């Protein structure tokens, strides 16, 4: 069963035989303790007040079940190195960029055992830094409201050559990122007690 705010995406899911409800999740829509697994992938960063949202989701999980929340890790090495040019800061709909420390402060341990891990796609570390470098060179930055400022210049000169040269180093950079355990996505796994 799923909840999807985009009618188009919900229609695709239903076309695959899934029970997808159109609209936004609201506490009280589902029975407490009615699920073995509740998965939220790249959703919590769109929620203005993530604590009650995650508490509500934890309440849907029966004892022994799991709440898994995946979100961009605002404490990841690419975010720290990119600063105001981190690509996850650009979309204006990302309103709650969280860290493991922030999630731990929410006190979700009262629902069960909480563990964290990080992951990223091949090349994500490098691509994130390359995008930040490109934006910095072009004068793109995130303003105080989270919106993207104007771009100075087109940045297209030699882009293909630079992309090809930098791509050769992506694998080794990713290995370094893996060794320092700073993947771009933070995964919180809560097993209900």
């Amino acid at each position: 069963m799923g909840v999807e705010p985009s009618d188009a995406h919900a229609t695709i899911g239903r076309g695959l035989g899934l029970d997808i409800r159109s609209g936004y999740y609201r506490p009280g829509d589902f029975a407490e303790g009615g699920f073995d697994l509740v998965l939220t992938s790249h959703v919590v960063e769109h929620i203005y007040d993530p604590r009650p949202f995650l508490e509500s989701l934890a309440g849907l999980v029966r004892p022994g079940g799991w709440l898994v929340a995946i979100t961009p890790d605002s404490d990841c090495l690419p975010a720290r190195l990119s600063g105001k040019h981190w690509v996850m800061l650009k979309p204006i709909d990302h309103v709650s960029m969280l860290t493991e420390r922030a999630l731990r402060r929410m006190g979700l341990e009262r629902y069960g055992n909480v563990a964290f891990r990080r992951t990223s796609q091949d090349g994500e570390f490098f691509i994130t830094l390359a995008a930040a470098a490109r934006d910095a060179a072009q004068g793109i930055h995130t303003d105080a409201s989270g919106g993207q400022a104007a771009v100075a210049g087109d940045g297209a000169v030699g882009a293909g050559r630079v992309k090809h040269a930098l791509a050769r180093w992506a694998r080794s950079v990713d290995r370094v990122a893996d060794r320092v355990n700073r993947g771009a996505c933070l995964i919180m796994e809560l097993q209900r007690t």
Side-chain angles (χ1 to χ4, degrees):
M1 175 176 290
V3 179
E4 173 56 54
S6 163
D7 286 330
H9 293 148
T11 299
I12 291 168
R14 286 190 290 270
L16 297 171
L18 302 173
D19 180 4
I20 307 291
R21 297 181 183 189
S22 293
Y24 290 90
Y25 166 77
R26 292 180 314 251
D29 282 350
F30 302 99
E32 291 285 314
F35 293 92
D36 293 314
L37 171 68
V38 173
L39 169 68
T40 175
S41 180
H42 294 277
V43 173
V44 71
E45 64 270 16
H46 300 273
I47 306 298
Y48 281 101
D49 196 358
R51 179 184 291 173
F53 174 74
L54 290 169
E55 289 174 339
S56 174
L57 295 179
L60 298 177
V61 180
R62 66 178 48 108
W66 293 86
L67 166 61
V68 178
I70 305 167
T71 188
D73 183 6
S74 64
D75 194 33
C76 71
L77 190 55
R80 288 173 173 244
L81 294 174
S82 301
K84 68 182 180 182
H85 299 288
W86 185 41
V87 295
M88 290 294 112
L89 293 178
K90 295 208 172 54
I92 60 173
D93 59 339
H94 284 184
V95 296
S96 295
M97 300 307 293
L98 300 170
T99 63
E100 178 179 335
R101 182 176 177 204
L103 285 163
R104 286 192 184 280
R105 286 184 158 182
M106 291 183 187
L108 297 170
E109 290 85 4
R110 70 180 171 275
Y111 294 98
N113 301 313
V114 177
F116 293 90
R117 60 187 172 98
R118 289 165 178 82
T119 188
S120 61
Q121 299 295 320
D122 286 344
E124 187 169 10
F125 180 89
F126 175 77
I127 291 166
T128 299
L129 292 180
R134 177 205 62 213
D135 291 354
Q138 292 180 347
I140 298 172
H141 66 277
T142 303
D143 64 22
S145 68
Q148 185 170 305
V151 177
D154 67 10
V157 178
R161 287 192 313 257
V162 171
K163 185 188 290 185
H164 178 71
L166 293 176
R168 293 186 322 219
W169 300 102
R171 274 273 195 231
S172 58
V173 172
D174 280 338
R175 281 189 224 116
V176 170
D178 289 342
R179 285 194 179 105
V180 297
N181 193 27
R182 292 294 182 186
C185 289
L186 178 62
I187 302 170
M188 181 192 76
E189 299 167 322
L190 184 155
Q191 185 175 26
R192 281 299 303 257
T193 52

